[in-house]
Amino acid sequence: MRRLRSSTVVLGGMGLLAMTITACGSEPDKRCVDRLTREQLPRYECDGGGSGGSSSGTSTTPRGSYYYGGSVSDQKVSGGSFDKTAVDSGGFGCSRTGGG
């Protein structure tokens, strides 16, 4: 019978660790973004409202909204959504549930 080399065992363990880190439950990237220009903003520009919905009696309306997933190129976002539920954040073996 053939014995496994220690390097094979280590590499297999590293793969298992990588799958665990990217498994279900991970959150999509969240960025503060100007809804009109899609320009990335500092996080404090989204504080106080978040998704750009209602202003609950506050005198200051946040300039930005949170944008989930996607990527940033030249300070502009693309490939994501302002709706967190529309972004797939699942890893290996995850199933999404809900209406469609």
Side-chain angles (χ1 to χ4, degrees), residues 41-52:
L41 302 171
R43 188 168 294 264
Y44 67 83
E45 294 281 1
C46 285
D47 292 344
S51 61

Side-chain angles (χ1 to χ4, degrees), residues 85 94-100:
T85 60
C94 296
S95 63
R96 295 192 45 119
T97 57

Side-chain angles (χ1 to χ4, degrees), residues 12-84:
M14 295 285 283
L16 183 61
L17 178 63
M19 283 195 313
T20 302
I21 291 171
T22 60
C24 296
S26 60
E27 291 289 316
D29 291 339
K30 178 169 95 170
R31 299 173 178 90
C32 185
V33 172
D34 184 304
R35 277 189 175 266
L36 297 176
T37 65
R38 302 271 175 148
E39 183 179 332
Q40 188 169 6
L41 302 171
R43 188 168 294 264
Y44 67 83
E45 294 281 1
C46 285
D47 292 344
S51 61
S54 65
S55 59
S56 51
T58 58
S59 60
T60 311
T61 303
R63 177 178 168 208
S65 298
Y66 284 114
Y67 188 85
Y68 299 94
S71 60
V72 180
S73 179
D74 297 325
Q75 290 297 90
K76 302 267 185 173
V77 296
S78 63
S81 175
F82 287 102
D83 180 7
K84 184 178 180 180

